[in-house]
DNA sequence: CAGTGAGCGAGCTTCCGCTTGACTT
């Protein structure tokens, strides 16, 4: 029997550590937190000093039970959760729940999973830091208060099932504000002038391209300048060379890994995390949720060895990086290969690629600076003080660039690939080959990618490595933002070319502003954001998290009582909630009056309805009930016009009678449809619901009837619930709202009721329970 | 996956941070 029980947070970590510690130690994991505020209810007793009401979530009962029994058997329990606020709280909850207070219990910490680090930690046990635990409790309670008091206000004032919180609401704000910047951006044009000169470089003829140091605001100025160049002579007036050193980027943290995996491999934030998780569980990389750029001494040494052996000693340079990020807690190492000597691994293609990225980034971070010579050639024009400038780079020593180059997001054409320039000397006369002035446009700021957003959040100190991916998915699930591909637009631009003494003009077209996988706010996102900004400016402030973090630090150092901090916050926050809840305006939040219907004179609004953005004609006080119409996908509350909305009210239309029933055309959740005697038929995209005739509608109805007949293959008189249907994917069994697959090789028409029952029995009610679980989780 | 189609309405919804697991057709 093991005398010692060590409890860590992650099972993969437990496995590794057990190997280091030997037979006297059993290592188990808590799988993160084992206790939390009760689900579904507020669970903070405001009246009694904000006393939290904790519970062990259903999913954690089994873990807790097995920890309890092992703890009872052990002589000493070592609490080895991470060394940060959350980790300290995990240890405290363990100590409470497993009833360890009267036992020999020791708290230990380590930042890296190496044998030395762990043996050292065992030598330096301490007790649980209760101030740190209180700081975590304050964090937890504050988040619950904010989330559970704000969200219901949104249900009441905007629409049900929305949510707000310290992290997610600010994240949405970033996207909304960026979108508004994009929308209000006005592009301006200017003319960029580039000259190509013929140069004799040693024995070969080559070309030197240089850009005029200034752009022209108008075509006329550009034209004038080119005219002036016709007979001008050019010569080299300046030649500067200076050495430049480039340093490698630090090894990966969660956010930089997400960033680079997105740019280099096209992975989404959550894809990156799940692939990294597999690598971690296989023991191939260190922990993937970290904000630290620190590497263990073991890693530093082996990196040096690998670099020296494979590339030469001049390529190695040991570097220690330090974190400057706001709120970083550095409980783990940076993300790195566990064994630096493994340049490649076995695994699925994406696992290999992500590993390769991590390996290169880590190794590069321990390599020498790259040495570059930067050359700047200035070209003068006789009789003018305008100058052309050419910049070039040559690599003197590649250093870390041999292994890894960080991708920079950079769509600006000015920064062309740095290249070597031909050899010239000051005074050389240059012959012009061509000079062009090209119309260029300023560009709006780029919309956020998922990874770009994470990096912004990290910069602001909002959220943690473990929550970046979930936060991004929450705001998409709530439909505050969506990931879109924007095709961009075409535009025309002018090019003026001076060649062989003649000036010519050409108009070209280009596509611009195309964006892939970018985040844009929905109508609901914008309305919710505007409402929160107006009612809770403090919570939505980009510095809110940083400022409460400062207070949590004071609690952690024992300078403040946690209940006092929360009481101070609650005292001014709660009245704001009550005010925002009560404020009874005549119209709902986010409503916009577009004008009046020219036929009825009734006012036409757009707003957020229970099921999303809608248009409303007439008001609730009118005798006649108002009419509603759902906005189409591409419409936005902020920009839609009265005429566009009036189109929507042209449905439903009545087409006439068919076999004694009224035939109407409506627009529903799934697009336009024909309704007739309680049956509904979707209108195909090829027909226009506004001009559809009665004859065409009847055709659709008949086609649907036929399809329905084919659909019901078999019914059983003894059990009307059991049916064999023909679906899009072939025949299947439908029974009490669930569908079941017919086993291969069976003739669906020959099935008996008993056989069907057996199939239902065999496949069980699994599909229904599975579905329920996924939807529950989707909330 | 397999069908869906109202009317602004009860029910119920929600936070952040630690960690993995499992319905696969």
């Amino acid at each position: 029997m093991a005398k010692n029980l060590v409890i860590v947070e992650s099972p993969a970590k437990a496995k590794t550590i057990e190997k280091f510690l030997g037979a006297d130690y059993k290592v188990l994991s808590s799988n993160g937190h084992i206790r939390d505020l009760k689900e579904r209810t507020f669970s903070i007793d405001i009246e009694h000093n904000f006393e939290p009401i904790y519970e062990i979530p259903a999913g954690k009962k089994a873990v807790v039970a097995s920890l309890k029994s092992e703890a009872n058997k052990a002589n000493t329990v070592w609490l080895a959760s991470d060394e940060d606020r959350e980790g300290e709280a995990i240890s405290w909850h363990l100590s409470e729940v497993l009833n360890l207070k009267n036992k020999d219990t020791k708290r230990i910490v380590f930042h890296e999973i190496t044998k030395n680090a762990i043996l050292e930690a065992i030598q330096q046990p301490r007790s649980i830091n209760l101030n740190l635990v209180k700081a975590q409790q304050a964090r937890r309670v504050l988040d619950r208060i904010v989330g559970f008091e704000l969200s219901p206000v949104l249900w009441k004032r905007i629409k049900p099932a929305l949510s707000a919180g310290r992290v997610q609401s600010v994240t949405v704000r970033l996207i909304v504000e960026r979108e508004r910047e994009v929308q209000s951006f006005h592009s301006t044009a200017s003319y960029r002038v580039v000259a190509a000169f013929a140069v004799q470089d040693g024995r070969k003829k080559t070309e030197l391209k240089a850009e005029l140091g200034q752009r022209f605001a108008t075509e006329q100025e550009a034209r004038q300048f080119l005219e002036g160049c016709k007979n001008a002579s050019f010569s080299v007036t300046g030649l500067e060379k200076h050495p430049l050193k480039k340093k490698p980027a630090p090894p990966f943290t969660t956010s930089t890994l997400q960033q680079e995996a997105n740019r280099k491999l096209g992975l989404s934030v959550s894809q990156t995390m799940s692939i990294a998780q597999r690598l971690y569980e296989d023991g191939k990389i260190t922990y993937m949720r970290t904000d630290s750029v620190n590497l263990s001494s073991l890693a530093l040494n082996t990196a040096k060895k690998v670099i020296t052996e494979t590339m030469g000693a001049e390529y190695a340079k040991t570097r220690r990086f330090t974190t400057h990020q706001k709120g970083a807690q550095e409980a783990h190492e940076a993300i790195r290969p566990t064994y630096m000597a493994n340049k490649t691994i076995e695994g699925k293609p994406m696992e290999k690629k992500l590993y390769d990225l991590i390996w290169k980034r880590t190794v590069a971070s321990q390599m020498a600076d790259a040495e570059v010579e930067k050359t700047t050639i200035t070209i003068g024009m006789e009789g003018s003080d305008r100058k052309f400038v050419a910049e070039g780079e040559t690599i003197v020593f590649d250093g870390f660039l041999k292994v890894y180059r960080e991708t920079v997001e950079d769509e600006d054409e000015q920064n062309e690939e740095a290249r070597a320039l031909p050899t010239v000397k000051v005074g050389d006369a240059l012959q012009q080959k061509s000079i062009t002035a090209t119309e260029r446009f300023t560009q709006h700021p780029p919309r956020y990618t998922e990874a770009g957003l994470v990096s912004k959040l990290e910069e602001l100190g909002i959220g943690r490595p473990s929550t970046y991916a979930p936060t991004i998915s929450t705001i998409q699930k709530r439909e505050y933002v969506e990931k879109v591909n924007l095709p961009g637009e075409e535009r025309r631009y002018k090019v003026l070319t001076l060649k062989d003494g003649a000036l010519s003009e050409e108009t070209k077209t280009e596509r611009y502003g195309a964006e892939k996988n970018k985040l844009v706010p929905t109508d609901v996102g914008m309305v919710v954001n505007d409402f929160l900004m107006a009612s809770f400016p403090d919570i939505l402030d980009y510095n809110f998290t940083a400022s409460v973090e400062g207070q949590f630090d004071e609690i952690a150092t024992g300078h403040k009582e946690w209940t006092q901090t929360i009481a101070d916050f609650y005292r001014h926050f709660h009245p704001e909630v009550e005010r925002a809840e009560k404020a009874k305006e005549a119209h709902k939040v986010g409503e916009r009056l577009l004008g009046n219907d020219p036929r009825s004179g009734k006012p036409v609004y757009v707003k957020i309805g229970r099921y999303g953005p809608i248009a409303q004609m007439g008001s609730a006080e009118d005798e006649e009930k108002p009419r509603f119409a759902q906005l189409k996908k591409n419409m936005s509350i902020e920009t839609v016009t009265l005429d566009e909305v009036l189109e929507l009210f042209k449905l439903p239309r009545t087409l006439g009678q068919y076999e004694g029933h009224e035939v109407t055309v409506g627009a529903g959740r799934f697009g336009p449809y024909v309704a007739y005697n309680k049956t509904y038929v979707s209108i195909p995209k090829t027909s226009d619901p506004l001009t559809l005739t009665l004859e065409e509608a009847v055709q659709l109805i008949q086609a649907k009837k036929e399809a329905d007949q084919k659909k019901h293959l078999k019914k059983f008189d003894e059990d009307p619930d059991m049916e064999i249907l023909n679906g899009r994917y072939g025949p299947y069994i439908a029974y009490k709202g669930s569908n079941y697959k017919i086993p291969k090789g069976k003739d669906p028409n020959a099935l008996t009721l008993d056989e069907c029952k057996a199939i239902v029995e065999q496949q069980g009610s699994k599909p229904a329970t599975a579905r329920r679980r996924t939807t529950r989780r989707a909330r």
Side-chain angles (χ1 to χ4, degrees):
Chain A
M1 191 191 75
K3 298 185 191 103
N4 298 281
L5 172 65
V6 181
I7 304 176
V8 296
E9 290 183 36
S10 144
K13 204 182 201 179
K15 231 168 68 186
T16 315
I17 291 174
E18 194 151 49
K19 277 187 238 154
F20 295 144
L21 287 175
D24 282 347
Y25 291 81
K26 179 159 190 129
V27 187
L28 292 179
S29 81
S30 69
N31 285 26
H33 278 292
I34 52 143
R35 209 163 63 151
D36 188 17
L37 289 177
K38 270 179 82 172
E39 262 188 312
R40 299 198 145 70
T41 57
F42 195 63
S43 303
I44 297 161
D45 192 345
I46 303 282
E47 319 280 76
H48 297 96
N49 247 336
F50 303 94
E51 184 67 29
I53 300 151
Y54 290 117
E55 71 172 358
I56 299 166
K60 283 290 164 65
K61 294 247 158 85
V63 185
V64 170
S66 85
L67 289 175
K68 221 176 218 170
S69 93
E70 290 299 328
N72 286 337
K73 287 188 232 161
N75 296 333
T76 306
V77 177
W78 303 77
L79 297 173
S81 48
D82 298 344
E83 187 182 30
D84 57 16
R85 206 163 60 203
E86 298 296 328
E88 205 67 18
I90 289 175
S91 280
W92 178 74
H93 281 295
L94 281 167
S95 152
E96 294 282 305
V97 171
L98 306 183
N99 209 3
L100 301 177
K101 274 167 287 183
N102 305 320
K103 252 186 119 69
D104 184 14
T105 304
K106 295 182 162 115
R107 169 82 171 115
I108 52 168
V109 294
F110 33 80
H111 300 111
E112 44 185 68
I113 315 299
T114 56
K115 191 168 182 171
N116 279 343
I118 284 146
L119 295 179
E120 239 170 75
I122 294 276
Q123 298 306 313
Q124 298 168 20
R126 56 171 174 85
S127 54
I128 293 174
N129 178 347
L130 285 177
N131 285 333
L132 201 51
V133 174
K134 286 174 185 164
Q136 190 274 346
Q137 192 150 273
R139 198 280 305 155
R140 182 68 192 90
V141 164
L142 180 110
D143 282 337
R144 173 58 67 87
I145 291 176
V146 171
F148 275 44
E149 293 214 351
L150 284 190
S151 302
V153 177
L154 297 181
W155 306 342
K156 209 175 228 178
R157 297 292 309 276
I158 300 176
K159 103 186 183 122
L162 295 176
S163 67
R166 174 175 60 83
V167 173
Q168 59 167 282
S169 296
V170 180
T171 310
V172 173
R173 180 184 169 190
L174 284 167
I175 297 167
V176 170
E177 287 187 345
R178 175 59 56 86
E179 187 63 24
R180 294 216 166 111
E181 274 177 62
V182 170
Q183 297 302 340
S184 63
F185 183 82
H186 294 293
S187 172
T188 57
S190 64
Y191 281 81
R192 170 180 185 238
V193 181
V194 175
F197 301 101
V199 175
Q200 191 72 36
D201 187 4
R203 304 180 72 180
K204 67 174 194 291
K205 274 202 161 118
T206 177
E207 189 181 83
L208 173 61
K209 274 195 169 172
E211 185 182 341
L212 189 69
Q214 180 201 6
R215 292 184 176 202
F216 296 108
T218 64
E219 185 191 334
Q220 198 200 352
E221 286 172 82
R223 195 174 277 278
Q224 228 167 32
F225 174 75
L226 291 188
E227 289 287 348
C229 289
K230 274 185 180 167
N231 300 311
S233 51
F234 298 89
S235 63
V236 177
T237 54
L239 175 63
E240 264 179 52
K241 290 187 178 204
H242 57 268
L244 199 73
K245 286 196 171 175
K246 294 191 178 176
K247 290 185 191 315
F252 280 134
T253 60
T254 303
S255 107
T256 52
L257 176 69
Q258 289 171 345
Q259 189 92 246
E260 284 289 274
N262 177 248
R263 289 169 177 168
K264 288 200 154 90
L265 308 176
L267 296 175
S268 73
V269 160
S270 62
Q271 284 172 325
T272 301
M273 292 313 281
S274 75
I275 298 167
Q277 174 92 27
R278 278 205 294 281
L279 294 173
Y280 167 68
E281 283 168 11
D282 286 353
K284 299 198 168 86
I285 61 169
T286 55
Y287 198 56
M288 66 282 157
R289 292 188 273 262
T290 177
D291 52 21
S292 172
V293 287
N294 186 51
L295 294 174
S296 69
S297 346
L298 182 70
L300 294 177
N301 290 336
T302 48
K304 185 176 181 180
K305 193 166 163 244
V306 168
I307 296 162
T308 308
E309 280 169 7
T310 58
M311 291 173 267
E314 70 276 23
Y315 278 97
K317 180 175 180 183
T318 300
R319 300 170 194 266
R320 285 184 178 277
F321 294 90
T322 45
T323 304
H324 303 292
Q325 288 301 337
K326 243 187 239 178
Q329 309 202 359
E330 304 205 68
H332 306 274
E333 269 191 81
I335 304 169
R336 63 161 173 94
T338 326
Y339 304 104
M340 302 291 299
N342 296 346
K343 192 174 176 184
T344 54
I345 54 154
E346 290 303 310
K348 292 190 183 149
M350 235 351 140
E351 294 172 17
K352 286 181 168 182
K353 282 186 192 165
L354 192 68
Y355 180 86
D356 181 60
L357 195 63
I358 295 168
W359 188 88
K360 285 179 172 161
R361 174 88 166 209
T362 312
V363 167
S365 81
Q366 296 307 312
M367 289 179 68
D369 290 348
E371 288 166 36
V372 168
E373 189 178 70
K374 196 168 176 182
T375 308
T376 309
I377 300 174
T378 315
I379 296 150
M381 185 178 168
E382 204 183 24
S384 161
D385 45 15
R386 299 207 189 271
K387 303 247 183 275
F388 284 89
V389 175
E391 287 189 331
E393 269 184 20
T394 46
I395 290 177
V396 179
F397 175 62
D398 54 0
F400 76 93
L401 291 177
K402 196 181 183 74
V403 171
Y404 186 88
R405 213 175 277 257
E406 198 174 6
T407 316
V408 279
E409 213 134 313
D410 170 86
E411 290 150 44
D412 199 345
E413 60 218 320
Q414 280 170 285
N415 293 323
E416 288 163 0
E417 270 293 288
R419 60 203 182 308
L421 295 178
T423 318
V424 293
K425 56 184 191 302
V426 173
D428 280 1
L430 296 174
Q431 200 189 346
Q432 55 169 294
K433 284 174 74 179
S434 68
I435 305 179
T436 58
T438 309
E439 191 179 14
R440 297 286 69 193
F441 302 86
T442 51
Q443 288 190 15
H444 64 71
R447 294 180 171 90
Y448 285 109
T449 59
E450 286 187 356
L453 188 61
V454 167
S455 131
K456 184 69 190 174
L457 289 175
E458 185 184 45
E459 182 194 319
L460 294 168
I462 297 171
R464 304 279 314 131
S466 65
T467 61
Y468 294 142
T471 301
I472 302 277
S473 88
T474 298
I475 62 173
Q476 292 179 65
K477 250 183 241 158
R478 299 271 175 278
E479 297 180 330
Y480 290 150
V481 309
E482 47 191 13
K483 211 157 66 168
V484 297
N485 291 327
L486 301 164
E489 289 167 63
E490 281 209 337
R491 79 175 150 213
R492 321 188 78 173
Y493 66 100
K494 266 193 179 164
V495 184
L496 309 174
T497 308
L498 175 65
K499 198 169 181 185
D500 303 328
L503 190 56
S504 63
E505 177 187 321
E506 204 183 343
T507 302
K508 293 186 173 178
T509 52
E510 66 180 346
R511 195 154 262 289
Y512 76 102
E515 294 190 274
K516 254 190 109 178
N517 289 327
K518 294 300 180 80
L519 297 169
V520 297
T522 62
D523 277 336
V524 177
M526 289 194 273
V527 168
V528 166
N529 179 253
D530 293 351
F531 173 69
L532 292 174
M533 284 292 286
S535 311
F536 304 97
D538 300 348
I539 308 290
L540 272 273
D541 193 302
Y542 289 126
N543 285 317
F544 178 67
T545 290
S547 113
V548 292
E549 280 292 337
Q551 298 175 47
F552 297 151
D553 287 346
E554 285 183 53
I555 299 169
T557 50
H559 290 95
K560 227 177 157 185
E561 196 58 47
W562 81 271
T563 48
Q564 193 54 50
T565 303
I566 296 298
D568 288 346
F569 168 75
Y570 196 75
R571 203 174 38 247
H572 81 263
F573 173 70
H574 189 67
E576 282 181 0
V577 172
E578 289 189 329
R579 226 173 298 142
E581 209 163 39
K582 278 204 296 257
K584 271 218 170 75
E585 293 152 20
H587 50 80
K588 279 190 117 183
V589 172
E591 189 173 280
R592 191 162 77 91
L593 178 66
L594 298 184
N596 292 69
D597 175 30
R599 283 173 49 194
S600 64
K602 287 183 175 177
V604 176
Y605 307 93
V606 280
K607 64 179 187 183
I608 302 294
R610 242 183 145 66
Y611 304 104
I614 51 164
Q616 177 182 338
M617 186 185 285
S619 62
E621 294 88 58
D622 291 353
E623 251 176 65
E624 213 180 334
K625 268 195 164 185
R627 293 176 65 200
F628 298 95
Q630 203 175 23
L631 291 196
K632 284 192 183 167
K633 259 245 148 269
N634 55 359
M635 292 178 169
S636 154
I637 285 189
E638 298 213 340
T639 56
V640 75
T641 63
L642 179 62
D643 286 344
E644 287 166 336
V645 165
L646 288 175
E647 281 295 303
L648 301 174
F649 285 108
K650 292 188 176 163
L651 293 178
R653 301 160 56 216
T654 306
L655 298 184
Q657 299 271 320
Y658 174 61
E659 292 181 352
H661 294 283
E662 199 164 69
V663 179
T664 58
V665 175
R669 271 201 291 165
F670 315 105
Y673 63 93
V674 173
Y676 155 81
N677 189 21
K678 286 181 188 158
T679 62
Y680 300 88
V681 192
S682 286
I683 298 174
K685 284 207 179 86
T686 45
S687 336
D688 179 2
L690 291 178
T691 58
L692 194 83
T693 62
L694 182 60
E695 289 75 48
E696 289 166 329
V698 167
Q699 273 177 14
L700 287 173
I701 292 166
Q702 280 168 344
K704 165 93 172 184
K705 269 189 180 165
E706 250 173 69
D708 275 352
Q709 264 160 16
K710 282 188 197 149
K711 194 180 117 181
H712 293 272
L713 290 181
K714 201 165 184 180
K715 271 196 165 189
F716 299 95
D717 295 335
E718 306 93 295
D719 190 349
D721 285 337
M722 184 72 75
E723 271 189 291
I724 300 177
L725 301 180
N726 203 2
R728 267 210 291 166
Y729 303 88
Y732 64 97
I733 296 172
Y735 183 64
K736 292 189 177 174
S738 291
N739 300 316
Y740 303 86
K741 223 182 129 175
I742 294 173
K744 277 205 174 114
K746 295 253 184 194
D747 177 5
N749 284 307
L751 284 173
T752 65
L753 179 60
D754 285 341
E755 282 177 310
C756 289
K757 278 188 172 165
I759 291 168
V760 169
E761 184 85 2
Q762 195 196 347
Q763 291 176 20
S765 49
K766 273 182 200 163
T769 54
R771 196 173 305 150
R772 201 166 44 232
R773 197 158 32 199
T774 50
T775 50
R776 243 190 65 172
R777 205 186 277 178
R779 280 176 201 152

